[in-house]
Every structure is written in C-alpha cells, then in structure tokens.
Amino acid sequence: MSPFEQILDLLDREKATYRVVEHPAEGRSEEVSAVRGTTVSQGAKALVCRVKGIESPAVLAVLAGDRRADLKKVVAAVEGKKGGFAPSELAEQLTGCVVGAIPPLSLSGTLPVVVDEEFLAAHEEIAFNAGRLDRSVIMATEDYVRIVAPAVAPIAAPAVPAAVE
C-alpha cells in the first residue's frame, strides 16, 4: 500500500473529517497553498530531525508552512541531547516519502511526532501533502490531534515581521 493509500485508510478507519485535493506536483508551501485554497499557515510542514539521546533515531517535527523550526526547541521537546535536520536520503528512508510530500504523521509508527502548539491552535483545519506531491489532505485539526496524539510544544522559531515598504 502506498503512503497516500495508508493515510486515507487511517483517516477512514478513524472516521476523520477530511477531503483530498488533487493538484500539480508541488513541494513548496506557498505554491501548494494557493492551489489548495488554504493559507500557508494552515499547511503542516513535516521535517525529519535527527535527535541524539532518545530511543528513535529521528523525530517528525510539524509546524506551520510559513514558519521555521527551532532545532533547540525540537530537541528539548523530546528530551534529547543534540539535533539537526536529517539528510534527504534518511528522511525518505524513514518516512517512505520524498521530501516535500512527507505527511505530519508517522506511517510506520517508529517516528515520534512533535507539533508546534501555535500551529495547532491557529486553525480549525490543517492541510498537508499526503505522501505524494500531487495530492493533499485537508482535515479537521481536532481529528489530526486525536489520531496522531503528537507531543505538543513551542518548536517554531519566532515569526519574522513582514518588511514594510
């Protein structure tokens, strides 16, 4: 079963409220948000981060598409010692998905998931590439939290104010 099929199977089994959006293959948050009809801040950016000092070799850090991860905060959220972004090859091996299509959930169940608390509080629905670059899922945030049961912590770097022209 492909990652996309695994995601839909999980959401159906868990009776989640969601919809699938087909679109041109796109991995950048700004472009795919426009096609989905969502804001960039609704997009769940999923980053595979290596963390030393925990059982798992990596964690899945999830935050808004318009934010950057604060690696020190990601490491602290999972009580690790040191961390960094996983190389693309490792991220793809651990998730079964190409970078840009990694969903904000662990399909194998082996990657701990930590989600930025502001991201979860900001929207009633979140959106993400569902294991492939040409399919997205838009789902109820409360269903995401219920199904994934992620650790929740402030892991995003402070927002940079927009430049004034």
Side-chain angles (χ1 to χ4, degrees):
M1 194 180 311
S2 73
F4 175 71
E5 292 167 326
Q6 290 177 54
I7 292 165
L8 296 189
D9 182 59
L10 173 65
L11 298 181
D12 288 341
R13 232 182 19 252
E14 295 292 334
K15 297 180 180 11
T17 301
Y18 75 95
R19 61 192 180 280
V20 174
V21 177
E22 295 183 28
H23 51 78
E26 185 57 70
R28 292 177 304 220
S29 300
E30 295 79 15
E31 286 78 7
V32 77
S33 293
V35 174
R36 289 178 186 145
T38 60
T39 64
V40 178
S41 66
Q42 277 181 278
K45 182 187 330 187
L47 305 170
V48 179
C49 301
R50 281 181 163 167
V51 178
K52 293 183 179 180
I54 63 171
E55 283 186 36
S56 175
V59 299
L60 197 58
V62 180
L63 59 155
D66 61 350
R67 299 293 297 272
R68 291 180 307 107
D70 181 324
L71 286 172
K72 288 181 180 178
K73 290 179 180 179
V74 171
V75 171
V78 295
E79 299 179 354
K81 295 189 184 325
K82 186 177 175 185
F85 294 111
S88 297
E89 301 80 29
L90 178 61
E92 292 177 10
Q93 176 189 350
L94 292 172
T95 64
C97 302
V98 299
V99 172
I102 297 172
L105 48 95
S106 177
L107 294 172
S108 66
T110 59
L111 284 179
V113 179
V114 59
V115 182
D116 184 61
E117 64 186 7
E118 285 183 25
F119 171 63
L120 291 179
H123 301 283
E124 290 183 17
E125 290 184 320
I126 63 168
F128 56 90
N129 279 356
R132 47 191 288 180
L133 293 172
D134 64 350
R135 298 287 184 281
S136 290
V137 164
I138 301 172
M139 71 179 295
T141 303
E142 67 183 2
D143 284 342
Y144 170 78
V145 172
R146 176 178 56 83
I147 294 166
V148 177
V152 179
I155 61 168
V160 178
V164 177
E165 295 184 25

